[in-house]
């Protein structure tokens, strides 16, 4: 059994003496009470877990001092209450934090039942609220929270607001389905939009939103939640045959039956439950799910491992707090609470004015976070953010950290309003506030040097010898007012600049001449169209083949390009209209406006290629990487040795693939060069196909030699 795991367990809180223990118990009890009542805990999950483990460690060392108020060994930390008895106790789960702890736990289960466990079920631990949904003759009649495990709170008023929990089942059976109610990321954003529009404070995170919404009555607005089933059991009135089946079916069979009744489960997600037989297989699946976590449309905070067979579960039994046949492998926290210290206003090369949050440093998912994205001023207003707020910050994988919302119940009254700029922070000009993303009225001219330098950069026009210092010279001399002016520079003009001799002048003119013939994908990227980058520019260029076709395309046609939705298509169309004079200047200067090897789509929007079988128009030619997500890592060798990373990405996309920077469960192929490191390790664990640079060159040989 390997000892590698997605993250080492966070250190338990250190509790030195009886006074510290009493304070820790009180803090944990308060936090648990708020967490299970409204989701508004004073501690984030990671801090609560560390505190609870510290309490347990102190109690193990000092059993004579265990407090009756201690959360240890109690469902919901002993904080939740309810008045509707459960048919069968609705327990919590114990946790493990490492591969070693997982192996120890699986061994303990097998010792307890006196035989090897034949099969384990492995599924995501969804970050929501546990509820029991009672169906009578197929009709949903009652919804109850976990409460203290023996009785819960009746929240039947929420029936009809929860996606995945149908009012009627596919069969008229009497049954209790248990699962998690949560908000997906999209539902959370929509809930906060609706809530703040009605004058309410935004929810701090999706779990907080689900907890508050599930218990809310008589609101003037309605927001959706989602249900994921994870179990089922008989009730009074369940037929004898079905009751016997529910008691004897393996967990995996049981959940397939629940799904067949029309209840939403995790089965159709990227982290669908699996049945496995060894601890090594379980750990490999944990690592797969952890790698997918950042891309999921809902939150998970761990992976649940269960003995699959009903006989094994019965033999293992349950304690007062948790079953002995199931455990939660906790993943590292991807959200924590910290303080919003300041907001910086930065102006991008297109003139967009972007706010950035300055945070009190906090460690999340193995890295220290000091900044977070705020998107735009409307986002700040909608989230009701204030300087000095305690804020919930989310980070997952390679995603830029973001502030989800202020933790309103932790406000002290000392917080201050965020001041929005009245003029452009870069040049002092006016600000266009007509759209959500504010912009300097001078647009690209506000950051002319940055805009021209970007266009001349290696991954765009690649004009060697044209760095920032030289661009500043050209702008200050009045020779360049946009990137098109570079192509009309004369030898005499350049020789008139300081530190420009004949050799450097001739070299620069030669580099500019070479740039004139760059492929359309590079030219389009050099324009700096908002909402696009290198990869998107390549996709647009290959889809339309020529600038004239891109300019003629409306939003609907642009949406045929992979990765362009309604909003981005509208932005691109508007940007191209704004850039029309610059594009015309580039065309007049003889700059190439076509993409080598690409064929424009016919009228009607079909893709490039040969004739379709019915003669209706072109069909796409098959390419070796069609439909594949490809990651390139390490130093390239052989035929690929001289290619930059951007050129490698261009090669991937010319051959039909989609280039990606990180390995996940969706990665189809890893090109592993020398020193591939952690990405290769992750690909091996996920079972991803790995090829050497030489093998990859052979795979895409027909597309080599087109680099610029």
């Amino acid at each position: 059994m390997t000892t590698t795991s997605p993250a080492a367990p966070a250190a338990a809180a250190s509790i030195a003496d009886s006074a510290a223990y009493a304070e820790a118990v009180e803090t944990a009890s308060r936090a648990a009470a708020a967490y299970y009542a409204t989701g508004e805990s004073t501690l984030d999950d990671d801090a609560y877990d560390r505190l609870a483990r510290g309490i347990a460690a102190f109690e193990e060392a000092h059993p004579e001092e265990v407090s009756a108020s201690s959360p240890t060994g109690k469902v919901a930390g002993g904080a939740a209450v309810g008045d509707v008895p459960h048919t069968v106790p609705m327990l919590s789960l114990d946790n493990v934090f490492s591969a070693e702890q997982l192996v120890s736990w699986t061994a303990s289960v097998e010792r307890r039942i006196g035989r090897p466990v034949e099969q384990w079920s492995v599924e995501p631990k969804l970050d929501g609220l546990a509820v029991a949904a009672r169906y009578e003759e197929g009709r949903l009649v009652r919804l109850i929270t976990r409460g203290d495990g023996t009785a819960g709170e009746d929240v039947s008023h929420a029936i009809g607001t929860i996606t995945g929990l149908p009012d009627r089942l596919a069969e008229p059976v009497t049954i209790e389905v248990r699962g998690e109610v949560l908000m997906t990321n999209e539902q959370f954003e929509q809930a906060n939009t609706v809530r703040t529009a009605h004058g309410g404070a935004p929810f701090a995170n999706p779990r907080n939103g689900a907890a508050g919404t599930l218990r809310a009555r008589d609101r003037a607005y309605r927001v959706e939640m989602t249900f994921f089933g994870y179990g089922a059991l008989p009730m009074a009135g369940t037929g004898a045959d079905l009751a016997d089946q529910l008691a004897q079916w393996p967990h995996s069979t049981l959940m397939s039956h629940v799904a067949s009744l029309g209840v939403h489960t995790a089965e159709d997600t990227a982290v669908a439950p699996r049945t496995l037989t060894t601890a090594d297989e379980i750990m490999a699946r944990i690592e797969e799910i952890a790698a997918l976590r950042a891309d999921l449309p809902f939150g998970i905070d761990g992976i649940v491992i269960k003995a699959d067979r009903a006989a094994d579960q019965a033999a293992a039994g349950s304690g007062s707090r948790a079953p002995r046949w199931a455990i939660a492998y906790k993943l590292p926290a991807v959200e924590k609470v910290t303080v919003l210290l300041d907001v910086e206003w930065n102006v991008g090369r297109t003139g967009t004015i972007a706010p950035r949050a300055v945070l009190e440093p906090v460690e999340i998912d193995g890295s220290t976070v000091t900044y977070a994205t705020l998107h735009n001023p409307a986002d700040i207003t909608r989230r009701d953010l204030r300087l000095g707020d305690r804020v919930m910050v989310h980070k997952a994988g390679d995603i830029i950290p973001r502030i989800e919302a202020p933790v309103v119940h932790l406000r002290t009254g000392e917080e201050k309003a965020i001041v929005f700029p009245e003029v452009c922070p870069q040049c002092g000009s006016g600000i266009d506030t007509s759209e959500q993303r504010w912009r300097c009225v001078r647009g690209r001219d506000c950051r002319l040097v940055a805009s021209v330098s970007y266009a001349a950069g290696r991954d765009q026009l690649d004009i060697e010898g044209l760095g920032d210092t030289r661009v500043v010279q050209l702008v200050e001399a009045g020779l360049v007012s946009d990137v098109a002016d570079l192509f009309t520079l004369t030898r005499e003009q350049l020789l008139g600049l300081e530190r420009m001799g004949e050799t450097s002048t001739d070299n620069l003119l030669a580099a500019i001449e070479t740039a004139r013939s760059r492929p359309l994908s590079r030219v389009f990227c050099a324009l700096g169209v908002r909402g696009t980058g290198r990869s998107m520019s390549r996709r647009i260029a290959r889809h339309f083949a020529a600038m004239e076709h891109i300019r003629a395309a409306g939003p609907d046609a642009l949406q045929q390009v992979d990765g362009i939705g309604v909003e981005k298509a509208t932005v691109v169309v508007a940007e191209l209209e704004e850039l029309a004079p610059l594009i015309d200047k580039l065309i007049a200067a003889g700059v190439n406006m076509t993409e080598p090897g690409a064929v424009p789509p016919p009228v009607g929007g079909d893709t490039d290629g040969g004739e379709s079988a019915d003669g209706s128009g072109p069909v796409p030619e098959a390419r070796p990487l069609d439909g594949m997500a490809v990651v390139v890592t390490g130093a390239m060798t052989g035929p690929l040795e001289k290619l930059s990373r951007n050129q490698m990405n261009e090669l991937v996309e010319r051959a039909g693939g989609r280039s990606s920077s990180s390995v996940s469960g969706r990665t189809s192929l890893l090109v592993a060069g020398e020193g591939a490191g952690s990405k290769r390790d992750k690909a091996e664990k996920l079972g991803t196909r790995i090829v050497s640079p030489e093998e990859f060159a052979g795979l895409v040989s027909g597309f080599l030699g087109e680099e610029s």
Side-chain angles (χ1 to χ4, degrees):
M1 171 68 196
T2 178
T3 57
T4 303
S5 58
S14 177
I15 300 177
D17 53 34
S18 300
Y21 168 72
E23 183 179 354
V25 168
E26 183 179 354
T27 300
S29 298
R30 278 200 311 269
Y35 182 81
Y36 288 102
T38 63
E40 297 181 340
S41 174
T42 52
L43 302 175
D44 57 47
D45 285 354
D46 185 62
Y48 181 83
D49 279 346
R50 288 189 290 107
L51 185 62
R53 286 157 59 206
I55 290 171
F58 183 88
E59 291 173 348
E60 186 175 355
H62 305 86
E64 72 283 357
E65 295 190 37
V66 174
S67 168
S69 302
S70 171
T72 306
K74 298 176 181 175
V75 174
V81 294
D83 54 8
V84 181
H86 287 301
T87 53
V88 172
M90 198 169 181
L91 304 180
S92 299
L93 289 172
D94 287 329
N95 300 323
V96 293
F97 298 85
S98 68
E100 292 81 3
Q101 292 177 356
L102 175 64
V103 171
S104 177
W105 175 78
T106 57
S108 72
V109 175
E110 293 181 335
R111 284 195 303 272
R112 182 175 291 277
I113 67 176
R115 60 178 180 271
V117 171
E118 291 184 11
Q119 192 163 266
W120 301 96
S121 175
V122 181
E123 58 198 63
K125 183 177 183 296
L126 299 155
D127 194 11
L129 288 90
V131 297
R134 295 181 180 176
Y135 285 90
E136 292 181 1
E137 297 183 353
R139 187 171 64 89
L140 181 57
V141 296
R142 207 163 197 183
L143 199 59
I144 308 155
T145 65
R146 184 198 305 274
D148 64 0
T150 60
E153 177 185 352
D154 192 327
V155 288
S156 301
H157 59 271
I159 290 174
T161 67
I162 304 172
T163 300
L165 194 61
D167 290 342
R168 285 194 175 274
L169 298 176
E171 298 177 15
V173 294
T174 296
I175 192 173
E176 178 172 301
V177 178
R178 292 183 173 182
E180 295 277 326
V181 172
L182 52 78
M183 281 185 179
T184 64
N185 299 337
E186 183 178 350
Q187 287 172 336
F188 172 65
E189 291 296 329
Q190 180 62 26
N192 270 348
T193 298
V194 173
R195 183 172 168 84
T196 53
H198 282 80
F203 295 120
N205 57 19
R207 192 193 185 285
N208 166 241
T213 301
L214 188 64
R215 292 181 170 86
R217 300 173 184 267
D218 303 321
R219 274 184 179 166
Y221 56 91
R222 172 173 167 168
V223 296
E224 277 194 348
M225 297 170 286
T226 296
F227 179 84
F228 284 88
Y230 62 63
L233 62 156
M235 298 165 45
T238 301
D241 289 344
L242 178 58
D244 287 344
Q245 289 174 324
L246 294 176
Q248 296 175 20
W249 272 335
H251 174 71
S252 52
T253 304
L254 176 66
M255 292 316 300
S256 293
H257 180 70
V258 168
S260 73
L261 294 174
V263 176
H264 190 207
T265 71
E267 184 60 43
D268 59 350
T269 71
V271 288
R274 290 186 186 174
T275 52
L276 305 168
T277 57
T278 69
D280 282 331
E281 290 174 343
I282 294 171
M283 201 61 226
R285 180 56 179 162
I286 287 172
E287 289 164 355
E288 287 178 10
I289 294 175
L292 293 169
R293 186 183 190 187
D295 298 324
L296 296 175
F298 48 80
I300 65 171
D301 58 359
I303 294 92
V304 178
I305 302 95
K306 302 175 180 177
D308 191 51
R309 293 178 65 243
D312 289 342
Q313 295 180 9
S318 298
S320 60
R321 176 186 180 275
R324 298 189 180 96
W325 45 267
I327 202 78
Y329 187 107
K330 293 297 291 288
L331 294 175
V334 292
E335 62 179 19
K336 287 189 179 180
V337 175
T338 188
V339 179
L340 175 60
L341 301 176
D342 198 3
V343 173
E344 297 177 347
W345 298 88
N346 301 310
V347 183
R349 54 184 167 75
T350 64
T352 299
I353 300 170
R356 182 174 73 160
V358 182
L359 306 171
E360 186 175 278
V362 60
E363 187 166 324
I364 308 178
D365 198 15
S367 63
T368 300
V369 173
T370 53
Y371 298 100
T373 182
L374 287 174
H375 300 298
N376 53 61
D379 186 59
I380 293 174
T381 301
R382 182 174 67 83
R383 296 181 192 275
D384 187 28
L385 290 169
R386 305 173 192 177
L387 298 182
D389 262 337
R390 303 278 289 181
V391 292
M392 187 68 73
V393 180
H394 181 91
K395 176 181 180 292
D398 295 327
I399 297 175
I400 298 171
R402 70 173 186 268
I403 290 178
E404 294 194 324
V407 187
V408 177
H409 64 278
L410 296 181
R411 279 181 173 160
T412 65
E414 299 296 317
E415 296 78 17
K416 298 179 181 178
I418 295 171
V419 179
F420 293 176
E422 297 181 355
V423 297
C424 173
Q426 176 68 25
C427 69
S429 300
I431 298 176
D432 178 359
T433 62
S434 61
E435 297 182 3
Q436 282 199 337
R437 290 186 180 274
W438 289 6
R439 198 177 183 206
C440 175
V441 293
R442 294 180 62 205
R444 287 170 173 80
D445 290 342
C446 175
R447 294 293 305 276
L448 179 57
V449 170
S451 180
V452 174
S453 294
Y454 171 81
R458 181 180 181 186
D459 293 330
Q460 289 71 247
L461 297 176
D462 194 13
I463 303 177
E464 190 174 349
L466 194 60
D468 289 352
T469 302
R470 191 67 68 204
V471 173
V472 170
Q473 266 191 304
L474 293 170
V475 170
E476 290 181 346
L479 299 177
V480 169
S481 61
D482 56 42
V483 64
D485 287 339
L486 295 174
F487 296 97
T488 61
L489 290 171
T490 66
R491 193 168 190 271
E492 291 71 25
Q493 287 174 327
L494 292 177
L495 286 172
L497 299 175
E498 291 184 13
R499 301 182 303 281
M500 283 296 288
E502 292 188 359
T503 300
S504 56
T505 292
D506 290 341
N507 288 341
L508 179 55
L509 287 172
I512 291 173
E513 186 61 30
T514 300
R516 206 185 300 270
S517 60
R518 298 291 183 212
L520 174 60
S521 54
R522 296 289 196 96
V523 176
F524 191 89
C525 190
L527 293 173
V529 175
R530 285 184 295 159
T532 69
R534 292 173 301 200
S535 180
M536 183 60 70
S537 295
R538 288 193 292 268
R539 280 180 251 162
I540 291 172
R542 290 203 64 81
H543 182 83
F544 290 102
M547 180 63 81
E548 62 181 297
H549 300 305
I550 300 176
R551 298 176 78 178
D556 290 343
L558 278 165
Q559 287 177 63
Q560 301 303 309
V561 179
D562 181 35
I564 296 186
V566 176
E567 184 177 348
K568 184 170 288 188
T570 303
V571 170
V572 171
V573 169
E575 281 281 280
L576 290 173
E577 290 178 359
E578 180 181 319
L579 289 164
L582 175 59
I583 295 171
D584 290 339
K585 282 181 68 174
L586 288 167
I587 294 171
V591 175
N592 173 62
M593 291 290 164
T594 61
E595 184 71 6
V599 179
V603 176
D606 290 329
T607 52
D608 59 309
E611 284 293 316
S612 62
D614 61 4
S616 61
V619 295
E621 296 178 0
R623 291 176 288 177
L625 302 181
D626 277 343
M628 298 175 69
V630 181
V631 175
V632 179
T633 188
M636 295 297 101
T637 53
L640 309 179
E641 183 176 5
K642 295 183 179 180
L643 298 190
S644 68
R645 189 49 43 84
N646 188 50
Q647 288 173 322
M648 282 294 298
N649 290 339
E650 289 178 340
L651 177 58
V652 166
E653 293 179 14
R654 280 200 306 275
R658 178 173 57 84
S659 57
S660 177
S661 61
S662 60
V663 176
S664 72
R666 300 179 185 178
T667 303
S668 309
L669 183 70
L670 176 73
V671 184
E674 295 179 353
S678 61
K679 290 184 181 179
R680 182 180 188 119
D681 294 341
K682 181 177 284 189
E684 289 175 344
K685 292 172 184 174
L686 293 176
T688 303
R689 181 185 174 192
I690 302 172
V691 297
S692 68
E694 289 76 14
E695 290 172 314
F696 184 72
L699 185 64
V700 298
S701 58
F703 297 85
L704 280 170
E706 299 178 24
E707 290 76 28
S708 298

